[in-house]
Amino acid sequence: QVQLVESGGGLVQPGGSLRLSCAASGFTLDNAGIGWFRQAPGKEREGVSYISRSGTTSYYGDSVKGRFTISRDDAKNTSYLEMNNLKPEDTGVYFCARRRTYGSTWTADFQYEFWGQGTQVTVSS
């Protein structure tokens, strides 16, 4: 059974850091690209970051470039999203998902499957 489980969210002050985890089961991460998305209240889901099947290519949304880093540990079959210098506008539920199709840009969420349940990130003083 394919499953992705996010963890690591929480409440953090502006300027703080968090590391999110996306643990995969039922498949290995070196067989699929993984995307991280987030959704804030009242807003559409947006792409945050993506790491390719090979693990050698990664992409970031413009709003997080230079602050977030995506990585993967194949031994643990887990993807990570390191988030630094967090801002209140980073608040939202963060999801990971496995990429199923490759016809569009990585931010197109219809290309993804097996979405996790999400983990809440709140940036507030």
Side-chain angles (χ1 to χ4, degrees), residues 2-42:
V2 174
Q3 192 175 17
L4 293 167
V5 179
E6 304 94 337
S7 62
L11 172 64
V12 63
Q13 292 186 343
S17 299
L18 283 174
R19 188 178 79 156
L20 305 184
S21 299
C22 172
S25 59
F27 74 102
T28 56
L29 291 183
D30 58 3
N31 284 328
I34 296 294
W36 282 92
F37 291 77
R38 67 186 180 190
Q39 187 164 23

Side-chain angles (χ1 to χ4, degrees), residues 102-115:
Y102 291 80
S104 298
T105 180
W106 68 272
T107 56
D109 61 3
F110 65 84
Q111 300 184 110
Y112 294 82
E113 60 183 357
F114 302 117
W115 293 82

Side-chain angles (χ1 to χ4, degrees), residues 17 20 23 31 34 36 40 51 54 70 82 93-94 99 122:
S17 299
L20 305 184
N31 284 328
I34 296 294
W36 282 92
I51 187 165
S54 66
I70 193 170
E82 184 77 33
V93 180
Y94 283 68
R99 193 169 185 178
T122 303

Side-chain angles (χ1 to χ4, degrees), residues 8-122:
L11 172 64
V12 63
Q13 292 186 343
S17 299
L18 283 174
R19 188 178 79 156
L20 305 184
S21 299
C22 172
S25 59
F27 74 102
T28 56
L29 291 183
D30 58 3
N31 284 328
I34 296 294
W36 282 92
F37 291 77
R38 67 186 180 190
Q39 187 164 23
K43 294 187 177 181
E44 293 187 356
R45 188 162 55 191
E46 66 168 328
V48 175
S49 187
Y50 171 81
I51 187 165
S52 65
R53 282 177 288 191
S54 66
T56 59
T57 301
S58 58
Y59 300 108
Y60 298 91
D62 288 341
S63 63
V64 307
K65 281 180 182 176
R67 300 187 297 121
F68 289 14
T69 303
I70 193 170
S71 64
R72 195 179 81 192
D73 184 335
D74 288 347
K76 295 183 178 180
N77 211 31
T78 299
S79 173
Y80 300 98
L81 186 67
E82 184 77 33
M83 307 186 297
N84 297 313
N85 191 22
L86 282 161
K87 304 176 181 181
E89 51 264 42
D90 294 317
T91 294
V93 180
Y94 283 68
F95 303 89
C96 62
R98 186 177 80 172
R99 193 169 185 178
R100 177 175 55 86
T101 60
Y102 291 80
S104 298
T105 180
W106 68 272
T107 56
D109 61 3
F110 65 84
Q111 300 184 110
Y112 294 82
E113 60 183 357
F114 302 117
W115 293 82
Q117 82 290 347
T119 185
Q120 176 70 46
V121 172
T122 303

